[in-house]
Amino acid sequence: MTDIALKMPWLKKPWQVIQSRLSEGRLPHALLVTGECGVGKRAWADAVSSLLLCAKPLRKEAGTPVACGQCRQCQLISASSHPDVRVYAPEKSRMIKIEQVRQLSAFAVSSPQVASRKIAVIDRADQLNINSANALLKTLEEPVPDFVLILLQESGRPVLPTIRSRCQVLSIPVPSAEQAEQWLVGEVAELEEGKQPSPELMAKSLMLAGNAPRLALEYATGEFPALRDEAFDKFRQFMKGQVAVAEAAKAFKALGLEDMLWLFEGWASDLARLCAGGTANDHEAGEMLGFLASRNPAWRAHELLDQVRETRAAGVYNVNPELEASRLLIAWRELMPTKRRAS
């Protein structure tokens, strides 16, 4: 199996940590892996699962182990059918429920079926509700020798401090622009002819994704860039008083709640950076955000970020995306300077 750090070089440091811990016999029972959406946390977790379960790991430079890719364990993992690997992710409610954590706890104390240990991955540990998070604490407080738990957390999405304190924390960085582009070009080259996005669309997708390569691939092969452009056009018109809030909100609703919040959050973060003298990641929105930054204190940007987080937290209760878009648009509109009345 190819070393994950060769395909995704920005994963090299956290990958080497696991290789070293495994070689030294100091593998932690629980890992909390943090990083931005789309930087490869799940790919890293899959590679770690392969390494930890491989029956005949290969030794590379400095004696670091790599999964062989040939044994039965590696083949089962490659086919996503290994009975000693379980993945738990948010369901329709957008949260990881207590029933899922109870299943995980039962899996943790069971005997491995075909490997020497068991691996559980919680994809989006930041989406544990309070009951499921508390239920997970028992598993963390009473570790099982042949069980490893990997929790994946998106940056800026909190987990309970009691959970974090019981895990070894590893951070996945955002790759450089060059690394992200190189990875995206390689992935796109494997797509069917006719389904490969243009270089211009790839560059735009990388910009919108903040150089998170897996998210950029999703954007480049999906509808997000076009829907985002429509939403941004309505946003500018609304901010200038050219369209009503209801019309602008419909364009944001078309994105879906998560992508809508991602867009608003990115603009609010760019506004905060511009207020502090930095530059906007979304350079297409930079002119408008720069205008707002020149007329508002930085704390207004942080107020917007707080409102986005409130909406995201309320999203688990199936809020109305159009109403939430209207609420956030009105908050943005309040940043526009008011015209002086003629005396």
Side-chain angles (χ1 to χ4, degrees), residues 118-180:
K118 309 174 298 294
I119 313 289
V121 177
I122 298 183
D123 196 346
R124 295 301 303 274
D126 48 278
Q127 293 295 80
L128 289 159
N129 63 35
I130 189 65
N131 292 328
S132 56
N134 285 329
L136 183 64
L137 283 175
K138 184 176 181 180
T139 298
L140 290 171
E141 290 168 349
E142 301 174 3
V144 180
D146 61 1
F147 176 68
V148 176
L149 177 61
I150 303 174
L151 302 95
L152 308 181
Q153 175 194 15
E154 283 195 9
S155 297
R157 315 287 193 265
V159 299
L160 284 182
T162 47
I163 288 179
R164 187 180 185 88
S165 65
R166 288 165 173 78
C167 301
Q168 179 176 314
V169 181
L170 294 175
S171 296
I172 303 289
V174 176
S176 66
E178 182 181 358
Q179 289 174 331

Side-chain angles (χ1 to χ4, degrees), residues 274-291:
L274 288 164
C275 286
T279 58
N281 289 337
D282 187 340
H283 58 77
E284 293 180 357
E287 183 178 353
M288 169 161 280
L289 296 175
F291 172 81

